[in-house]
Amino acid sequence: MGKHKQQIISRFFAPKPKSPSNEEPLQSSQNPPKISTTVTFSPSKRLKTTHFLSPDKPSQNPNNPIINSNPSLHQRFLSKLLEPPQHLLEHTHQANQGNNDSREPPKYTPLEKQVLELKSKNPDVVLMVEVGYRYRFFGKDAEIAARVLGVYAHMDHNFLTASVPTFRLNVHVRRLVGVGYKVGVVKQTETAAIKAHGENKVGPFERGLSALYTKATIEAAEDLGGEEEGCGSLSSYLLCVVEGDVVMGDEDVGVVESGVDVRIGVVAVEISTGDVVYGEFNDSFIRAGLEGVILSLAPAELLLGEPLSKQTQKVLVNYAGPTSNIRMERMSCDCFRDGGALPDVISYFENIREDDSVSNQHHTMDVRGDENNQFALKVIMTMPGLAVRALAITLRHLKQFGFETIVSLGASFRPLSSNMEMRLSANALQQLEVLNNNADGSETGSLLKSMNHTLTIFGTRLLRHWVTHPLRDRNMIIARLDAVSEIAESMCGTLDLENLGAVDEGAFDCTVGQPGINHVVSLVLTNLGRSPDVQRGITRIFHRTATPKEFIAVVQAILLAGKQLRQLHAEEHVYPEDKKRNAVHSALLKKLIRIASSSGVVNTAAKLLSTLNAEAAEKGDLVNLMSVSDGAYPDVAESQMKVQSANEKLESLIGLYRKQLGIRSLEYVTVSGTSHLIELPSDRKVPSYWVKINSTKKTIRYHPPEVLAALNQLSLATEELNIVSRAAWSSFLGKFHSCYADFQAAVQAFAALDCLYSLAILSRNKNYVRPVFVDDDQPVQIRIRSGRHPVLESILQDNFVPNDTDLHSGQEYCQIVTGPNMGGKSCYIRQVALIAIMAQVGSFVPASYAKLHVLDGIYTRMGASDNIQQGRSTFLEELSEASQILQSCTSGSLVILDELGRGTSTHDGVAIAYATLHHLLEQKRCLVLFVTHYPKIADIQKEFPGAVGTYHVSYVTSNNGDSSSECELGGSNANNEDVTYLYKLVPGISERSFGFKVAQLAQLPASCIEQAIVLAEKLEMVVHKRMDNQRRKYCPPGTQSANPDIHNKAMDRTSEYNYPADANGQDSIANLANTCQKLFSCLKTALETDNLAEGFDMLKRARIVARELIAW
């Protein structure tokens, strides 16, 4: 409210002045007070202000005559609309905080007593209480609602309150849940009819907590499922984390010695889809494994099984930061530490079985559901101990929401990692931008975004899992590639062998075009994409939270898709003479089509739909929803008969009144929601016992006693019908449990078809090639011709420069890549990793040829970032990641290290980078791409001849119109020359990094750049001059004459160290020269002596000295 408007309100409500004699002295001593009012939508600010006021002393300004005067219109306006009275604020504060003082306790209304009782049972829940046609918030909950929802909060009796309309429940609950609150909806548990005929005729409506909502449960919850107004999320896992002692088995001893200090158990449940992920693993101090789980699952809610170590809590709290809106809840797991978790889970399953037997005592026994229960128990018996503990905590947490039955389905369980899948670390997912880009964290510019051409939501979810968990089984990869090839072939009608690449032996005949497959699969997926999320839909049906309209939409979509897929001939055996147009050859496609269009799913869907009235489902009419003609629901039929009898009774009464009053056209009328009124002229005489309801000038409306009795009977019968109809609907949904596993498998098959179709579109639209995988017994290798970055290629189009890659474990398995800044080094190493990931996902790849061995892991160390919240510097973070790689990688892995050692001094950085690469080459023998600006690292190829290759990204420099390559550093020349990056990987080492050109791009002041160029030239001259002097000073005369070639070569290598020009640098050079002198003396003695034993001993000494030089 503006200042001008405040003054207008103040003048309008200001009281008239009283007698001048009383007011003149005060007004003469000071200026008239300025009175203004401000409407605020922040009740928390008003409450916070009252905390500073004394409860026994009113908050008044002694210099304000208006406030000290008698109550006026202005004060009443303030107290009613703007500032609540002080004693009411104090009562609200006491009710919320539980403070008691000597003041008389407030008198609560019956509704407020209900709210206090509910709030005492649910202190951590934001309660929305149904009152008439609105949901109301009270106390602190009203403050939260005012802040998050933007609604007005005001004082009412003893509490601050706010409200929203009932028809906007979906929107407001989602907004509160979206910012991390746990929301409870309190509904009336009795209707007006029940209240009128029950014992609680005078008191308030009975109310109870009907539903709880959090980010992980809202999509499966009643009345709020489905995505509306963009509030829905792609996935909403609830992740439970527990800790235990490190397992020191035979296979873990080496890991424990390498720094593993904790063992972590996790269980992640996606309540809306039925997916349950479990796992247990050893983790290091930096919790790299836990970060990888969090990044791949992206949980919406965290459940912490305490006690947890400080480091684990730091990682989880950092993920659920104040800006993430991730909800975090803590639960104690002390009761499960002595093996109590497994008995608790088993007893839970026994209770489920008993409940099912009770609910099915009047129906056929749910044999399939019992089989699922038994299968789930077998899975749980094989789960690791910490995972079982996390599952027990998760079950206790889900029980308050009513979603604990989701874990009774064994088919929903899957391990966190398996031998069939590659587990990408958190660093790899982040640094390769697999799921999100590193600029703003969105999907734009990520690998998933470039590969995602799915048409359904559940297909997108599955593709995300495929991309983060590439396959490690060659046969499964080839099966996916065969399916993608067949779909891609049917898109174009004829097979382009050049684009599809070589086909492995034993693959199906790819030369027969199948145009019908593309048409049918595209039609099925398009229809499913227009339907609701059927994966979440069938899970909501399983939880009995689906509406009739949603049930019909989901089941009908699955039925239609299954019938359409039956057009394809997916028989297990297709003979060569069978030339049907829609015959399917890929084994994976056949399997998926048979599952999705199985007769069990199609027939069950048709049977379920035949039981329901589609017209009533569209209107949400539960009363007329179920078909009772076959005697399936006798309770509903009986209640319908009672309602019909009551209506017939009312119709018979109108006939009697027509005869009694002599009015043949007499009919019941309904006015303002009151039905069955007898409307008569005002001068018409009626029996005195007729009840007058309302009237106008000309008419009076009555309810005869017989009509009132019949209406009471009708209202009770209608209420009974509503109750039995809801029970019948719940029973109908309960029957879906027996076929849920089949429908879930069908939806998973549809999702897999969507992913394969997406990969086929990708291969066709972007001219990708089918990768070839060598046998598992062949050497690990990556051979790529004209490889391209899958994301940058779509941005640069034809301007992208492709590069070749040739890594072979039996030949050259390490590439040291150097080159200028911004020359394309990081792009090259990223594209190799992304091509390998895409190939093992089962996708075609951006290259003209690709031949690979199945990798068991891809590990990266790229970029520079610190972690201040965990007290970790940039260099510590860098080395921790490198340490994790050295512990985890194997000979079948691809390791990518980008500028390792740049976070510290030059000497330390070179030494650490050299030693790390040496360990990878000697101990691990894995495929390595090593990017560095240290030319000294390239010397390692002399220790591993043939295994290490040096490369650099090429460039061209020009000065005054003359082109040259690899120009020497010169003062003004370096500032004036132009550099053209060619982005082509060529053999050799780059001698320059062109850091000054990057400084120019960063728009550093020209004076700074010029001074830096001069200083660089001087430093280079000083270093070269000093090294020459040290060589002449410390080289013994005899050593140089004994073997001048070896001596000169060694001295040249020594001069390559660029030591700083300071006193410490002189000492280091002197020590280095002394060590070199010892080495040459030993070598000279070994060469000149005739005693073999003495010569061998001198060679040993030389070897020791040489090791000291390497460690330098």
Side-chain angles (χ1 to χ4, degrees):
M1 184 180 293
K3 181 177 180 181
H4 178 65
K5 196 169 184 180
Q6 294 177 13
Q7 293 174 351
I8 291 176
I9 293 178
S10 302
R11 289 197 299 269
F12 181 77
F13 287 104
K16 294 181 180 180
K18 296 183 180 180
S19 60
S21 60
N22 297 333
E23 299 295 336
E24 272 183 4
L26 183 61
Q27 291 178 356
S28 61
S29 62
Q30 63 180 36
N31 295 328
K34 180 180 179 181
I35 306 170
S36 63
T37 60
T38 304
V39 178
T40 173
F41 291 91
S42 178
S44 59
K45 184 177 180 180
R46 296 203 300 272
L47 283 178
K48 191 178 296 184
T49 304
T50 62
H51 296 167
F52 296 99
L53 302 177
S54 172
D56 300 325
K57 195 174 183 179
S59 174
Q60 294 182 352
N61 184 359
N63 297 325
N64 193 331
I66 296 178
I67 295 180
N68 286 329
S69 62
N70 294 328
S72 63
L73 179 63
H74 177 72
Q75 290 172 328
R76 290 198 299 272
F77 173 78
L78 291 179
S79 63
K80 183 176 181 180
L81 298 180
L82 299 178
E83 293 295 337
Q86 175 66 23
H87 71 278
L88 292 183
L89 284 174
E90 292 173 357
H91 291 168
T92 298
H93 182 66
Q94 292 171 7
N96 290 332
Q97 302 295 336
N99 295 335
N100 294 320
D101 53 15
S102 59
R103 295 175 62 91
E104 182 181 354
K107 296 181 180 180
Y108 295 112
T109 64
L111 175 61
E112 290 176 338
K113 292 179 180 178
Q114 285 184 339
V115 172
L116 287 174
E117 183 180 359
L118 290 167
K119 196 64 180 177
S120 64
K121 296 178 181 178
N122 305 277
D124 61 335
V125 180
V126 176
L127 294 180
M128 302 178 68
V129 184
E130 183 182 20
V131 182
Y133 297 101
R134 301 186 74 83
Y135 283 102
R136 293 182 62 181
F137 302 87
F138 294 88
K140 293 294 183 182
D141 297 344
E143 295 182 27
I144 295 172
R147 183 177 66 254
V148 177
L149 305 180
V151 296
Y152 181 70
H154 60 92
M155 290 300 301
D156 183 19
H157 293 87
N158 297 296
F159 288 99
L160 194 70
T161 183
S163 64
V164 295
T166 54
F167 63 88
R168 297 283 286 174
L169 175 69
N170 191 328
V171 175
H172 294 302
V173 169
R174 284 185 175 276
R175 288 179 181 173
L176 289 168
V177 167
V179 295
Y181 287 104
K182 185 179 183 180
V183 181
V185 175
V186 178
K187 291 186 177 181
Q188 297 173 179
T189 57
E190 60 178 355
T191 61
I194 296 177
K195 180 179 173 61
H197 295 84
E199 298 178 356
N200 185 30
K201 295 182 180 180
V202 181
F205 283 97
E206 293 293 332
R207 295 179 173 87
L209 187 65
S210 63
L212 279 175
Y213 304 102
T214 61
K215 294 188 75 173
T217 62
I218 190 168
E219 294 300 336
E222 189 175 6
D223 300 330
L224 295 178
E227 300 181 17
E228 296 199 12
E229 297 192 9
C231 296
S233 58
L234 188 63
S235 63
S236 51
Y237 279 98
L238 167 67
L239 178 64
C240 179
V241 181
V242 298
E243 276 187 358
D245 297 331
V246 179
V247 176
M248 302 185 64
D250 294 338
E251 68 279 1
D252 296 325
V253 172
V255 180
V256 173
E257 291 177 352
S258 301
V260 173
D261 64 343
V262 72
R263 190 163 182 85
I264 294 177
V266 297
V267 165
V269 182
E270 228 294 14
I271 297 100
S272 64
T273 63
D275 190 24
V276 182
V277 185
Y278 66 91
E280 182 177 323
F281 52 89
N282 287 335
D283 210 351
S284 61
F285 178 76
I286 64 173
R287 302 298 188 266
L290 181 59
E291 286 185 355
V293 172
I294 292 175
L295 196 61
S296 61
L297 294 177
E301 198 171 341
L302 296 177
L303 188 60
L304 279 61
E306 294 187 328
L308 292 175
S309 63
K310 290 184 178 180
Q311 188 64 21
T312 300
Q313 291 192 53
K314 282 183 179 180
V315 172
L316 296 175
V317 171
N318 186 32
Y319 174 73
T323 60
S324 66
N325 295 328
I326 303 298
R327 187 173 181 275
M328 186 168 62
E329 189 167 333
R330 301 173 186 268
M331 292 184 68
S332 175
C333 59
D334 290 335
C335 56
F336 300 132
R337 282 196 169 273
D338 297 329
L342 185 59
D344 189 79
V345 174
I346 293 176
S347 64
Y348 158 76
F349 276 94
E350 291 176 352
N351 294 335
I352 288 182
R353 190 183 308 166
E354 292 176 1
D355 295 341
D356 289 342
S357 62
V358 171
S359 61
N360 293 324
Q361 59 184 354
H362 300 297
H363 305 282
T364 305
M365 236 0 234
D366 191 354
V367 180
R368 184 61 183 271
D370 190 61
E371 290 178 357
N372 288 332
N373 205 340
Q374 293 294 333
F375 183 72
L377 276 175
K378 290 181 181 179
V379 174
I380 291 172
M381 294 299 292
T382 61
M383 288 173 59
L386 289 178
V388 175
R389 188 186 302 175
L391 179 61
I393 296 174
T394 304
L395 285 174
R396 289 194 176 186
H397 176 76
L398 292 179
K399 198 170 183 179
Q400 62 182 315
F401 302 92
F403 294 141
E404 69 276 9
T405 54
I406 193 64
V407 299
S408 64
L409 298 170
S412 303
F413 284 80
R414 63 179 176 88
L416 186 64
S417 60
S418 66
N419 295 331
M420 297 297 179
E421 294 178 342
M422 178 199 302
R423 184 177 172 185
L424 295 175
S425 64
N427 286 335
L429 293 175
Q430 289 177 333
Q431 296 165 2
L432 296 177
E433 298 179 306
V434 175
L435 299 175
N436 308 98
N437 66 59
N438 293 331
D440 57 6
S442 66
E443 282 192 3
T444 304
S446 65
L447 176 65
L448 177 61
K449 183 69 174 180
S450 66
M451 295 179 64
N452 187 10
H453 297 276
T454 54
L455 301 177
T456 64
I457 300 175
F458 47 90
T460 302
R461 277 194 288 268
L462 183 60
L463 183 63
R464 177 189 173 94
H465 175 75
W466 282 14
V467 172
T468 55
H469 296 78
L471 294 174
R472 290 175 54 185
D473 185 88
R474 178 178 179 272
N475 295 329
M476 295 176 66
I477 297 173
I478 292 176
R480 283 188 188 176
L481 290 171
D482 289 346
V484 172
S485 298
E486 187 167 358
I487 298 175
E489 172 195 353
S490 66
M491 290 180 179
C492 54
T494 58
L495 182 65
D496 187 352
L497 291 176
E498 181 180 354
N499 288 340
L500 291 181
V503 181
D504 297 84
E505 294 182 5
F508 68 94
D509 184 10
C510 295
T511 59
V512 181
Q514 305 296 340
I517 299 175
N518 169 52
H519 173 73
V520 174
V521 174
S522 175
L523 180 63
V524 168
L525 296 176
T526 301
N527 291 334
L528 287 174
R530 294 171 180 171
S531 304
D533 188 347
V534 297
Q535 188 177 35
R536 282 180 170 168
I538 63 171
T539 308
R540 285 171 51 77
I541 296 172
F542 174 82
H543 291 306
R544 305 187 190 189
T545 58
T547 61
K549 181 179 179 181
E550 183 182 6
F551 181 93
I552 289 182
V554 169
V555 177
Q556 210 164 34
I558 295 175
L559 174 62
L560 178 61
K563 289 182 176 179
Q564 289 173 338
L565 281 181
R566 287 187 170 182
Q567 301 175 33
L568 300 175
H569 298 278
E571 294 82 4
E572 196 156 347
H573 300 287
V574 178
Y575 299 98
E577 61 271 12
D578 187 3
K579 299 296 182 181
K580 293 180 180 179
R581 178 174 177 267
N582 292 339
V584 179
H585 296 271
S586 165
L588 179 58
L589 281 180
K590 288 181 183 179
K591 179 181 177 181
L592 295 176
I593 292 172
R594 284 198 302 270
I595 294 175
S597 61
S598 66
S599 57
V601 173
V602 173
N603 296 338
T604 304
K607 184 178 178 180
L608 290 172
L609 291 175
S610 64
T611 311
L612 303 179
N613 184 346
E615 221 175 289
E618 183 68 25
K619 299 177 182 178
D621 183 10
L622 290 178
V623 172
N624 300 311
L625 178 65
M626 314 302 298
S627 175
V628 297
S629 58
D630 55 353
Y633 298 95
D635 294 341
V636 177
E638 183 181 351
S639 297
Q640 287 178 348
M641 291 298 296
K642 290 181 180 180
V643 172
Q644 184 180 353
S645 175
N647 283 320
E648 290 175 354
K649 177 67 175 176
L650 287 169
E651 290 300 323
S652 65
L653 289 175
I654 193 66
L656 293 176
Y657 298 137
R658 288 170 185 166
K659 293 179 181 180
Q660 181 180 351
L661 298 173
I663 304 175
R664 294 183 178 180
S665 61
L666 184 66
E667 296 289 346
Y668 290 123
V669 297
T670 301
V671 177
S672 301
T674 305
S675 63
H676 296 86
L677 294 170
I678 303 296
E679 187 177 62
L680 297 174
S682 57
D683 57 352
R684 187 64 181 258
K685 293 184 179 181
V686 297
S688 59
Y689 52 82
W690 281 27
V691 180
K692 178 181 176 181
I693 303 301
N694 52 49
S695 64
T696 64
K697 289 183 178 180
K698 297 181 179 181
T699 62
I700 300 177
R701 304 181 186 101
Y702 302 93
H703 262 163
E706 298 85 359
V707 172
L708 286 174
L711 283 176
N712 288 336
Q713 183 182 357
L714 177 62
S715 63
L716 287 176
T718 303
E719 190 64 34
E720 181 184 352
L721 178 59
N722 290 331
I723 293 174
V724 297
S725 296
R726 284 194 294 268
W729 172 243
S730 179
S731 175
F732 175 79
L733 294 178
K735 295 179 181 179
F736 188 78
H737 283 213
S738 60
C739 53
Y740 174 73
D742 294 335
F743 277 79
Q744 188 184 41
V747 173
Q748 285 290 339
F750 286 128
L753 284 173
D754 196 7
C755 292
L756 295 173
Y757 186 77
S758 173
L759 298 180
I761 293 176
L762 181 70
S763 65
R764 182 174 180 269
N765 293 349
K766 296 193 175 182
N767 196 27
Y768 284 7
V769 66
R770 172 172 174 159
V772 178
F773 282 90
V774 299
D775 294 333
D776 294 336
D777 56 355
Q778 293 191 23
V780 180
Q781 56 188 280
I782 297 178
R783 299 184 185 275
I784 302 172
R785 298 292 176 266
S786 299
R788 310 182 297 276
H789 194 289
V791 178
L792 292 182
E793 180 194 18
S794 60
I795 299 175
L796 300 177
Q797 301 295 332
D798 296 334
N799 295 325
F800 189 87
V801 179
N803 276 298
D804 299 341
T805 303
D806 199 344
L807 294 171
H808 193 285
S809 62
Q811 303 169 12
E812 181 180 289
Y813 57 91
C814 173
Q815 289 185 355
I816 298 177
V817 183
T818 60
N821 291 298
M822 300 179 62
K825 303 185 297 298
S826 297
C827 175
Y828 166 71
I829 59 177
R830 279 189 172 97
Q831 84 181 27
V832 175
L834 294 178
I835 288 174
I837 291 174
M838 293 177 67
Q840 293 190 213
V841 166
S843 170
F844 287 24
V845 297
S848 61
Y849 172 80
K851 184 177 181 181
L852 307 97
H853 190 282
V854 177
L855 302 175
D856 61 12
I858 296 177
Y859 303 93
T860 64
R861 154 82 285 281
M862 308 174 71
S865 61
D866 56 15
N867 196 335
I868 299 177
Q869 293 183 353
Q870 298 186 28
R872 305 174 65 82
S873 66
T874 302
F875 191 54
L876 177 58
E877 197 75 12
E878 181 179 341
L879 294 188
S880 298
E881 294 174 5
S883 173
Q884 187 69 25
I885 292 174
L886 296 181
Q887 297 170 21
S888 305
C889 68
T890 67
S891 59
S893 305
L894 172 64
V895 175
I896 294 177
L897 299 175
D898 189 2
E899 299 188 28
L900 180 66
R902 63 180 172 181
T904 184
S905 65
T906 303
H907 300 107
D908 293 350
V910 171
I912 291 174
Y914 191 101
T916 302
L917 181 57
H918 190 279
H919 180 85
L920 288 172
L921 296 176
E922 185 177 53
Q923 303 294 332
K924 299 295 185 176
R925 294 188 60 84
C926 54
L927 305 184
V928 181
L929 293 175
F930 195 95
V931 175
T932 183
H933 282 289
Y934 300 136
K936 187 62 184 175
I937 302 296
D939 289 347
I940 202 171
Q941 64 181 336
K942 298 177 181 179
E943 296 188 48
F944 300 92
V948 181
T950 56
Y951 300 86
H952 72 280
V953 284
S954 57
Y955 58 91
V956 172
T957 59
S958 61
N959 188 20
N960 296 328
D962 298 331
S963 297
S964 61
S965 62
E966 318 284 339
C967 290
E968 295 296 329
L969 178 65
S972 60
N973 185 51
N975 194 17
N976 295 329
E977 66 182 357
D978 294 327
V979 182
T980 303
Y981 295 144
L982 303 180
Y983 302 107
K984 197 69 176 178
L985 194 71
V986 296
I989 300 175
S990 175
E991 298 296 336
R992 300 182 60 184
S993 294
F994 295 101
F996 301 121
K997 292 300 177 184
V998 178
Q1000 290 177 354
L1001 290 176
Q1003 297 183 351
L1004 260 67
S1007 58
C1008 293
I1009 299 175
E1010 292 175 358
Q1011 184 179 7
I1013 292 173
V1014 173
L1015 289 175
E1017 184 180 18
K1018 290 182 178 179
L1019 287 174
E1020 187 174 351
M1021 294 175 61
V1022 169
V1023 168
H1024 282 299
K1025 183 177 180 180
R1026 181 168 296 161
M1027 295 307 300
D1028 290 339
N1029 294 336
Q1030 292 295 336
R1031 258 189 296 185
R1032 288 191 295 269
K1033 180 177 179 181
Y1034 290 99
C1035 289
T1039 304
Q1040 185 173 1
S1041 60
N1043 199 336
D1045 294 334
I1046 297 178
H1047 175 78
N1048 291 334
K1049 186 180 294 186
M1051 289 297 101
D1052 290 338
R1053 286 189 60 186
T1054 304
S1055 65
E1056 292 177 7
Y1057 288 96
N1058 295 328
Y1059 295 98
D1062 56 12
N1064 294 330
Q1066 293 179 2
D1067 294 339
S1068 300
I1069 296 172
N1071 293 333
L1072 177 63
N1074 291 332
T1075 306
C1076 291
Q1077 182 180 1
K1078 293 179 183 179
L1079 174 63
F1080 297 140
S1081 299
C1082 293
L1083 291 175
K1084 177 182 178 182
T1085 304
L1087 292 174
E1088 294 178 351
T1089 183
D1090 295 330
N1091 189 340
L1092 294 178
E1094 183 181 358
F1096 186 75
D1097 183 67
M1098 296 306 297
L1099 287 174
K1100 284 185 177 181
R1101 294 185 182 181
R1103 182 181 179 183
I1104 295 174
V1105 176
R1107 285 180 176 176
E1108 294 179 4
L1109 286 174
I1110 293 174
W1112 201 275

